[in-house]
Amino acid sequence: MATYTKLSSGSWRVQVRRKGRYVSETFLRRDDARRWATETERQVDRGETPTKSRIARLKTFGELIDLHIDDMCDVGKSPRRSKAAALNMLQRHLGKCNIAALDRERLIRFGRDRAAQGAGPMTLGIDIGFVKLILTHAAAVHGLPVKVEPVDLARVALKRLGLVGKGHQRDRRPTQDELDKLIAHFDANARQIAPVGQIIRFAVATAMRQEEICNARWSDMDARTRMLLIRDRKDPRNKNGNNQRIPLFAATGYDAWTIVEDRLAKRRNGDDRIFPFNHRSVGTAFRRGCAELDIHDLHFHDLRHEGTSRLFEAGFTIEQVALVTGHKDWKMLRRYTHLKPEALHIIYAAKAA
């Protein structure tokens, strides 16, 4: 039974007591209060959790995205760069779509449009995953009557169409000649502020990511054990607090410890970073250098692949290489490993010795 009370402000408070449940809301108009009370009673009769009026008024998928972001921010888990970019993309493509209209056909059309714009199978799969995440969050956290099944059906259809699937594993490794040219190019450029040649050698020596290198700190280095603590390493589950100590050695053809000693000798200010430079600027300089030297299809992240592969070629086992690269899933580590067949001679000779 619903009870309506007119407040001194002129608003209407409606209280619903039904089957042991009690909920109340306040509305500016009595008609809105009556409609909400009627729907709330129906929800209770169906065994559902009554939906707050603010949530019940949400009509578009874009509003669900905003709701998800607000909830994540409230618990201190605001979307990071990659997730934020994906949600912004969904706002542009599906934000104005009515929740009820977000059916299988609409999602398949979204997938086709994204593929036509250049999104690969893995990227589109991630996009569809975020759509499901938003809908599931709305249903689980707020009790909204949204359907998740159309997303699963659309994923099946897009997979059959070849638009969703596993990404192509990148196996580009720089040749030693390419590395030598790049290092010489940057070392000879007096106008280049960041020591990109040195950073390239350090990247291959440690298999560290571009951002990790530019965030590495003197205070996290142990000179006695020649170990470096990398804070908040990238992790698909949660990188906060995912710290790892790695050795600074010369197992890949470049001596990480010698590079650090050289950086220490050239230290001129109180900046705690070993390489006090913006990682995006380093990436831009690397791409420009590749273009000037006519080196095609080489990314800075390929240096991490190269360092990982060289560790295997030096005879280290999967679990030993993981202590350097930070991979917790050894299956993921395999996709970063592209051994050169001729390296087997060196590995065999080392074991024989």
Side-chain angles (χ1 to χ4, degrees):
M1 183 69 180
T3 302
Y4 303 89
T5 305
K6 190 170 184 179
L7 305 177
S8 58
S9 62
S11 300
W12 289 88
R13 175 185 295 156
V14 56
Q15 298 169 301
V16 176
R17 294 180 176 85
R18 197 175 186 87
K19 295 184 177 180
R21 302 294 296 271
Y22 169 79
V23 287
S24 67
E25 284 278 5
T26 302
F27 298 86
L28 292 176
R29 299 189 308 171
R30 183 184 175 92
D31 287 344
D32 293 334
R34 185 184 298 109
R35 279 194 292 270
W36 177 83
T38 302
E39 178 57 29
T40 298
E41 290 174 343
R42 290 172 180 169
Q43 288 179 318
V44 172
D45 291 341
R46 294 194 298 265
E48 300 173 357
T49 301
T51 306
K52 293 183 178 180
S53 61
R54 179 181 70 86
I55 304 300
R57 287 196 293 269
L58 301 181
K59 300 298 180 183
T60 67
F61 184 67
E63 291 174 323
L64 295 189
I65 294 175
D66 292 336
L67 179 66
H68 174 78
I69 294 174
D70 290 343
D71 288 347
M72 293 297 98
C73 290
D74 286 344
V75 296
K77 294 184 178 181
S78 57
R80 295 185 180 275
R81 185 174 60 188
S82 58
K83 181 178 180 180
L87 295 181
N88 286 335
M89 179 277 300
L90 290 178
Q91 277 281 20
R92 294 193 302 272
H93 286 266
L94 297 173
K96 296 180 180 179
C97 181
N98 190 284
I99 299 172
L102 197 64
D103 55 11
R104 176 186 57 83
E105 291 184 4
R106 181 66 185 86
L107 290 171
I108 292 175
R109 189 164 75 251
F110 161 74
R112 289 179 181 274
D113 292 342
R114 285 284 287 153
Q117 294 171 358
M122 177 169 281
T123 300
L124 185 53
I126 294 173
D127 294 344
I128 295 297
F130 276 122
V131 173
K132 185 173 182 178
L133 172 67
I134 298 301
L135 294 175
T136 302
H137 179 90
V141 178
H142 297 284
L144 278 171
V146 296
K147 295 182 179 179
V148 180
E149 292 80 4
V151 184
D152 295 327
L153 292 174
R155 180 185 289 275
V156 172
L158 292 169
K159 190 173 183 179
R160 296 286 178 86
L161 293 171
L163 301 180
V164 164
K166 295 182 179 179
H168 300 295
Q169 292 189 5
R170 184 171 175 80
D171 59 0
R172 174 67 159 98
R173 288 186 61 178
T175 65
Q176 187 60 53
D177 182 59
E178 288 175 330
L179 289 174
D180 292 341
K181 286 181 178 179
L182 282 166
I183 293 169
H185 170 79
F186 289 112
D187 288 350
N189 187 353
R191 295 181 299 173
Q192 180 65 52
I193 299 175
V196 181
Q198 200 172 50
I199 291 174
I200 289 173
R201 295 196 296 272
F202 194 75
V204 177
T206 61
M208 289 172 64
R209 298 176 179 85
Q210 182 177 318
E211 189 171 0
E212 291 173 345
I213 293 173
C214 293
N215 285 336
R217 300 184 176 277
W218 292 111
S219 56
D220 289 331
M221 189 182 69
D222 189 332
R224 184 181 64 83
T225 59
R226 297 189 178 184
M227 300 290 288
L228 175 67
L229 177 68
I230 304 176
R231 296 186 180 275
D232 298 332
R233 293 207 87 167
K234 183 179 178 181
D235 186 277
R237 298 171 185 86
N238 183 21
K239 79 171 190 177
N240 292 332
N242 183 37
N243 303 332
Q244 182 187 12
R245 295 168 66 245
I246 67 166
L248 299 176
F249 54 10
T252 65
Y254 297 106
D255 192 337
W257 179 251
T258 299
I259 295 172
V260 167
E261 286 185 317
D262 183 68
R263 293 299 308 161
L264 181 59
K266 296 177 180 178
R267 189 178 182 187
R268 294 291 183 269
N269 55 43
D271 197 317
D272 194 34
R273 293 178 298 164
I274 299 173
F275 295 95
F277 306 97
N278 187 297
H279 72 276
R280 293 189 180 89
S281 299
V282 172
T284 300
F286 182 84
R287 290 190 295 273
R288 187 183 301 118
C290 288
E292 292 177 2
L293 295 172
D294 203 27
I295 297 176
H296 300 288
D297 190 34
L298 184 64
H299 305 164
F300 190 95
H301 196 72
D302 294 332
L303 303 181
R304 172 170 163 83
H305 297 192
E306 178 66 17
T308 303
S309 297
R310 289 192 180 197
L311 289 171
F312 280 105
E313 290 169 353
F316 290 99
T317 62
I318 290 180
E319 56 269 29
Q320 290 170 337
V321 173
L323 293 175
V324 179
T325 63
H327 287 92
K328 295 180 180 180
D329 186 344
W330 292 352
K331 292 180 181 178
M332 286 295 296
L333 185 57
R334 291 176 186 170
R335 69 184 295 268
Y336 286 91
T337 308
H338 308 286
L339 303 182
K340 297 175 180 177
E342 55 267 27
L344 297 179
H345 289 296
I346 302 174
I347 295 175
Y348 175 75
K351 289 186 176 181

